[in-house]
């Protein structure tokens, strides 16, 4: 072999010469065969690792050096209000200020501190301010799209409280860890724990454990026992999920975590088993007081707007409680006032003091524009007296006000009366048997109920109508044909149409013949919104209550719904014609006095537990429901004899008076 000009080597063999380039890296590895030829040596692996790790280490060192600990650790707690505005831009309510009060750590009983450590970070006094395992788990969750909560030490959570926003990404998680390490070196553990307890969000507008003790138990933090401390520690995982006053699901979660924290305190040696055995009853928090500024209907409006912001933006409940937000709602004050006045005027004949049938009466109503804006609602007599929003309840059957949905499903999808047969179109002129007590049929024969009897149709007043067209059945509120139509369409298909019209899955009734006559329980808001599709050529927008939101004047992202074509325009037009026919000379002729070109439908239930009136004029759809129930268990009671009405009077009488009075005052534009 001899050197060859040009950087190669010349290999001499008998009969021929071959050129081989010089290589700085022996890869693929010479002198190896098969898979071993492609396996790098340990030296090559070390070189590759160095090429990756050296730049990464330098970047991390630079990031560590340039990440600063904030100067003012309490700057986050600026006292501000959240301001809610009417649709015209005038102020509706001012909520706040942030409820916060600092206390020295020695005023927090040691068992309460231990409950927090057991719940959040049992190694707090021995760690370096971060948890490598927790950070790794959080990074993996971020990358995989899982839950980003958890995995942080108390020091990291304190950093998040006083400096960083709640947005979860890789950069924020890394910055949080760096500041936590530096803070752990600069401050004592007791000072960090005190800062954490004084800046954490506990719900009910409370920041800091002192205000939380007051909000939930009406006492100073120094008076808390270990059981109460364990409950407050549970709230640190997410007060919106653990305040038992919010929902039964919250209560179950709160009790489970409260019990777990007490058990955990025993496991880590912070509570004796004997003392733990004395805490067997959940320490019930006191009810949350209502703000005086939320009286009348305003509290219902604020609650709805806040819920919408929390579910349609990246703003957390904790961030909302910090204040500084301006929430511009869809609610129109003149229409809210008109709706409340209509309820009060129509209810003058109700006498709960002297008439049993009038006790526990509830009224809910909502008015929705064709573009989905909720412009008015009536949630109850006064938010400070009844926080439950009757306009948003999902436990009251909608009754025969559901039949236009069945009619729309039939017109758009046709029927199938024989198993395996083709689907047959239906028209407004298709006829059905309108008599009372007709057997409900399936393709195989009569429908047998669980009681062992054949299901039968039931018309209001048990009236026989003979043969009627589907349009006439809607106009005159003849329930039997619509019940049978639902069976002929297929109840699953009717359910799909109802979902397209915005009825929520949790409110759908059982798929039995009564589904066609309204065993579903949509709220007044959702029912009014569903009817907008009939007025808008088949287009519908999910109901919404907030137009935009800012913080200290700067706009924040808010997800608002968009319109969707949920019915063919021709089908929506036919339903619209039937509902207008009901006003001109049918079951809703009472609505004619509210103005021209109205469309409406009364709603009743077979067991007489709910009365409805739903309809629209121009750009405005309104639903009114009345029912009797004890809000503790929501057991519905009969409406027979309500307001002194005759036994055979329709249960839709009171809601129709409210609807008519309101639509006359509010108009449709």
């Amino acid at each position: 072999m001899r050197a060859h000009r040009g950087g190669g080597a010349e290999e001499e063999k008998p009969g021929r010469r071959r050129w081989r380039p010089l290589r700085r890296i022996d890869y693929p590895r010479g002198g190896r065969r098969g898979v071993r030829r492609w396996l790098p040596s340990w030296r090559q692996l070390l070189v590759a690792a160095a090429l990756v790790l050296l730049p990464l280490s330098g970047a991390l060192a630079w990031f560590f050096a340039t990440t600063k600990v904030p100067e003012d650790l309490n700057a986050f707690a600026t006292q501000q209000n959240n301001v809610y505005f009417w649709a015209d831009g005038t102020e509706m309510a001012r909520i706040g200020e942030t409820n916060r009060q600092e206390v020295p750590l020695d005023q927090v009983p040691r068992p309460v501190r231990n409950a927090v450590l057991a719940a959040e970070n049992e190694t707090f006094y021995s760690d370096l301010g971060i948890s490598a395992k927790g950070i790794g788990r959080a990074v993996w969750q971020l990358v995989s799209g899982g839950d980003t909560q958890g995995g942080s030490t108390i020091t990291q959570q304190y950093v998040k409280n006083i400096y960083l926003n709640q947005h979860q990404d890789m950069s924020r998680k890394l910055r949080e860890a760096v500041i936590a390490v530096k803070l752990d070196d600069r401050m004592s553990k007791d000072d960090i724990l005190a800062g954490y307890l004084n800046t954490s969000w506990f719900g009910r507008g409370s920041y800091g454990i002192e205000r939380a003790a007051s909000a939930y138990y009406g006492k100073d933090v120094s008076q808390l026992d270990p059981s109460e401390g364990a409950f407050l520690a549970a709230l640190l995982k997410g007060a919106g999920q653990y305040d038992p006053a919010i929902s039964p699901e919250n209560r179950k979660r709160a009790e489970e975590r409260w019990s777990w924290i007490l058990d955990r305190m025993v496991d880590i040696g912070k509570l004796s088993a004997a003392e733990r055995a004395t805490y067997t009853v959940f320490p019930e928090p006191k009810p949350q007081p209502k703000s005086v500024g939320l009286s009348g209907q305003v509290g219902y409006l604020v609650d709805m707007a806040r819920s919408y912001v929390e579910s349609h933006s990246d703003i957390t409940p904790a961030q909302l409680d910090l204040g500084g937000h301006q929430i511009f709602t869809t609610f129109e004050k003149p229409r809210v006032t008109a709706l409340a006045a209509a309820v009060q005027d129509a209810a003058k004949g109700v006498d709960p003091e002297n008439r049993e049938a009038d006790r526990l009466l509830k009224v809910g109503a909502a008015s929705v524009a064709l573009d989905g804006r909720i412009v008015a609602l009536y949630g109850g007599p006064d938010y400070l007296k009844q926080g439950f929003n009757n306009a948003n309840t999902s436990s009251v059957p909608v009754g025969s006000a559901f039949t236009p949905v069945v009619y729309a499903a039939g017109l758009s999808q046709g029927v199938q009366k024989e198993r395996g047969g083709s689907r047959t179109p239906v028209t407004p002129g298709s006829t059905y048997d309108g008599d009372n007590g007709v057997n409900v049929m399936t393709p195989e024969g009569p429908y047998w109920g669980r009681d062992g009897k054949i299901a039968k149709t039931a018309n209001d007043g048990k009236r026989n109508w003979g043969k009627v067209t589907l349009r006439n059945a809607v106009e005159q509120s003849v329930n039997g044909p619509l019940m049978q139509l639902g069976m002929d369409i297929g109840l699953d298909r009717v359910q799909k149409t109802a979902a397209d019209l915005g009825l929520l899955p949790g409110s759908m009734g059982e798929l039995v013949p009564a589904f066609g006559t309204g065993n579903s329980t949509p709220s007044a808001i959702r029912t009014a919104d569903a009817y907008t599709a009939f007025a808008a050529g088949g287009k519908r927008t999910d109901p919404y209550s907030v137009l935009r939101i800012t913080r200290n004047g700067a706009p924040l992202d808010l997800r608002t719904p968009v319109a969707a074509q949920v019915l063919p325009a021709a089908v929506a037009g036919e339903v619209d014609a039937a509902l207008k026919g009901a006003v001109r000379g049918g079951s809703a002729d009472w609505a004619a006095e509210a103005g021209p070109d109205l469309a409406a439908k009364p709603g009743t239930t077979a067991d007489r537990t709910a009365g409805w009136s739903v309809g629209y004029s121009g750009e405005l759809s309104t639903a009114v429901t009345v029912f009797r129930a004890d809000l503790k268990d929501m057991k519905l009671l009969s409406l027979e004899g309500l307001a002194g009405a005759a036994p055979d009077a329709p249960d839709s009488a009171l809601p129709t008076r409210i609807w008519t009075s309101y639509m006359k005052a509010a108009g449709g534009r």
Side-chain angles (χ1 to χ4, degrees):
M1 179 181 293
R2 65 176 180 226
H4 184 274
R5 184 172 56 191
E10 182 180 310
E11 184 178 353
E12 296 181 355
K13 289 189 178 179
R16 66 187 179 90
R17 298 194 330 180
R18 186 159 61 103
W19 297 91
R20 179 168 57 86
L22 289 174
R23 295 182 300 175
R24 294 176 182 271
I25 301 175
D26 182 24
Y27 191 83
R29 298 171 67 190
R32 304 288 193 278
R33 295 180 180 278
V35 175
R36 295 181 62 193
R37 175 175 170 80
W38 299 96
L39 292 175
S41 68
W42 65 269
R43 291 185 181 88
Q44 289 171 334
L45 288 173
L46 286 176
V47 171
L51 291 174
V52 172
L53 293 177
L54 285 175
L56 180 60
S57 299
L60 289 174
W62 175 86
F63 189 85
F64 188 90
T66 56
T67 299
K68 305 296 183 183
V69 176
E71 295 296 329
D72 183 3
L73 298 182
N74 292 317
F76 92 104
T78 303
Q79 300 265 316
Q80 299 181 81
N81 288 312
N82 285 325
V83 185
Y84 292 78
F85 296 90
W86 294 102
D88 64 3
T90 57
E91 185 174 313
M92 179 171 70
R94 186 174 292 266
I95 309 301
E97 300 167 338
T98 301
N99 190 5
R100 179 171 178 264
Q101 180 180 338
E102 290 195 27
V103 291
L105 187 62
D106 60 12
Q107 289 187 21
V108 181
R110 187 166 295 277
V112 176
R113 283 181 262 166
N114 289 336
V116 172
L117 295 177
E120 296 295 309
N121 184 190
E122 64 186 72
T123 62
F124 169 71
Y125 277 97
S126 60
D127 64 37
L128 298 176
I130 60 172
S131 164
K133 182 178 178 180
I135 291 175
R137 183 167 60 250
V139 169
W140 168 250
Q141 289 167 340
L142 284 167
V143 172
S144 63
D147 183 10
T148 59
Q149 302 301 316
S152 296
T153 65
I154 281 176
T155 309
Q156 287 174 270
Q157 293 181 56
Y158 178 42
V159 170
K160 182 172 63 175
N161 287 350
I162 54 90
Y163 181 53
L164 301 168
N165 60 39
Q166 303 294 319
H167 183 63
Q168 300 281 333
D169 59 27
M170 198 78 72
S171 173
R172 191 203 65 75
K173 206 71 182 173
L174 186 58
R175 188 183 302 273
E176 173 190 287
V178 170
I179 295 176
V181 170
K182 291 186 174 184
L183 205 63
D184 190 77
D185 184 60
R186 178 183 301 185
M187 297 175 63
S188 71
K189 288 290 190 179
D190 280 354
D191 286 344
I192 292 173
L193 181 58
Y196 172 68
L197 292 175
N198 282 314
T199 58
S200 291
W201 180 67
F202 289 85
R204 299 193 177 184
S206 299
Y207 277 84
I209 197 163
E210 170 66 18
R211 304 316 289 166
S214 175
Y216 289 93
Y217 292 112
K219 59 176 69 172
D220 291 335
V221 66
S222 61
Q223 299 173 310
L224 294 176
D225 63 32
S227 178
E228 294 165 337
F231 166 69
L232 294 186
L235 294 170
L236 291 167
K237 190 173 176 65
Q241 299 294 311
Y242 290 89
D243 183 347
I246 294 177
S247 69
E249 293 77 18
N250 270 28
R251 182 182 182 83
K252 181 180 179 182
R253 280 191 291 266
E255 290 196 36
E256 289 176 351
R257 187 156 178 82
W258 161 79
S259 181
W260 176 85
I261 290 171
L262 289 172
D263 290 341
R264 190 66 189 150
M265 291 173 70
V266 175
D267 293 341
I268 65 176
K270 301 297 184 182
L271 186 69
S272 70
E275 186 175 4
R276 166 64 181 96
T278 65
Y279 301 123
T280 58
V281 178
F282 181 67
E284 194 70 41
K286 68 176 187 177
Q288 183 176 4
K290 303 293 185 181
S291 171
V292 175
L294 300 181
S295 61
Q297 297 303 303
V298 171
Y300 303 115
L301 307 180
V302 167
D303 269 3
M304 178 152 288
R306 178 178 175 126
S307 295
Y308 190 85
V309 169
E310 291 176 0
S311 60
H312 290 78
S313 76
D314 294 328
I315 303 168
T316 67
Q319 287 173 312
L320 266 181
D321 277 348
L322 279 178
H325 298 90
Q326 298 80 44
I327 297 110
F328 297 85
T329 76
T330 60
F331 304 120
E332 300 177 7
K333 186 175 182 178
R335 283 175 165 156
V336 171
T337 302
L339 187 53
V343 173
Q344 292 165 7
D345 184 62
K348 288 179 179 177
V350 176
D351 185 7
E353 298 295 328
N354 300 300
R355 190 182 296 125
E356 179 65 30
D358 292 354
R359 292 173 185 168
L360 301 175
L361 177 66
K362 312 297 177 188
V363 178
S367 204
V368 181
L370 298 192
D371 60 3
R373 288 176 295 116
I374 306 172
V375 299
L377 62 80
Y378 181 86
D382 190 321
Y383 180 76
L384 299 184
K385 298 177 181 177
Q386 177 196 299
F388 183 85
N389 186 349
N390 296 334
N392 205 30
T393 182
S394 57
S395 58
V396 180
V398 69
S400 53
F402 183 79
T403 54
V405 176
V406 181
Y407 186 44
L411 294 176
S412 59
Q413 301 185 58
V415 298
Q416 185 180 27
K417 295 188 176 183
E418 296 181 3
R419 186 67 65 196
S422 60
R423 299 194 71 81
T424 304
V426 296
T427 69
S430 297
T431 58
Y432 272 74
D433 190 338
D435 283 347
N436 185 70
V438 175
N439 289 348
V440 176
M441 304 298 292
T442 72
E444 289 79 19
Y447 181 95
W448 291 85
R450 293 176 181 173
D451 59 359
K453 299 179 181 179
I454 295 175
K456 297 181 181 295
T457 62
N459 294 331
D460 285 345
K462 299 182 180 181
R463 179 176 173 180
N464 293 321
W465 291 80
K467 291 291 183 181
V468 295
T469 65
L470 288 177
R471 174 168 174 169
N472 196 35
V474 175
E475 290 179 344
Q476 301 298 334
S477 201
V478 186
N479 294 336
L482 277 307
M483 178 182 283
Q484 184 59 56
L485 176 62
M487 299 295 292
D488 294 343
I489 298 166
L491 296 180
D492 57 336
R493 289 173 175 260
V494 178
Q495 184 185 59
K496 173 62 167 56
T497 298
D500 290 342
L501 289 169
L503 271 64
L504 299 177
S507 71
M508 295 289 187
E510 187 179 4
L511 295 185
V512 295
F515 185 80
T517 50
N519 66 0
S520 296
T521 57
S523 67
I525 294 170
R526 285 284 169 174
T527 305
D529 183 68
Y531 271 56
T532 62
F534 307 142
K539 288 186 177 180
R540 188 195 67 83
T541 306
D542 272 346
Y544 63 103
S545 57
V546 179
L547 298 167
R548 59 190 177 92
I549 182 170
T550 61
R551 189 166 197 272
N552 297 326
L556 301 177
D557 289 338
L558 180 72
R559 297 182 291 274
T560 53
V562 295
Q565 189 77 35
V566 297
L567 289 175
V571 169
E574 290 293 355
V575 179
D576 175 66
L579 293 174
K580 288 178 177 175
V583 176
R584 285 193 298 269
S587 60
D589 57 358
W590 40 262
E593 65 178 270
D597 205 32
L598 287 136
K601 178 75 176 70
T604 56
T605 62
D607 60 1
R608 304 200 64 177
T609 56
W612 288 78
S613 178
V614 191
Y616 49 85
S617 172
E619 299 290 317
L620 198 64
S621 176
T622 302
V624 181
T625 180
V626 299
F627 58 98
R628 293 178 60 227
D630 187 338
L631 296 181
K632 293 179 181 177
D633 57 14
M634 283 306 298
K635 181 179 179 180
L636 299 180
L637 306 172
S638 174
L639 292 175
E640 183 177 345
L642 178 65
D648 59 348
D651 297 325
S652 58
L654 180 57
T656 59
R657 289 202 299 272
I658 296 170
W659 190 95
T660 304
S661 176
Y662 167 70
M663 294 298 280
K664 188 185 300 184
R669 300 293 174 182

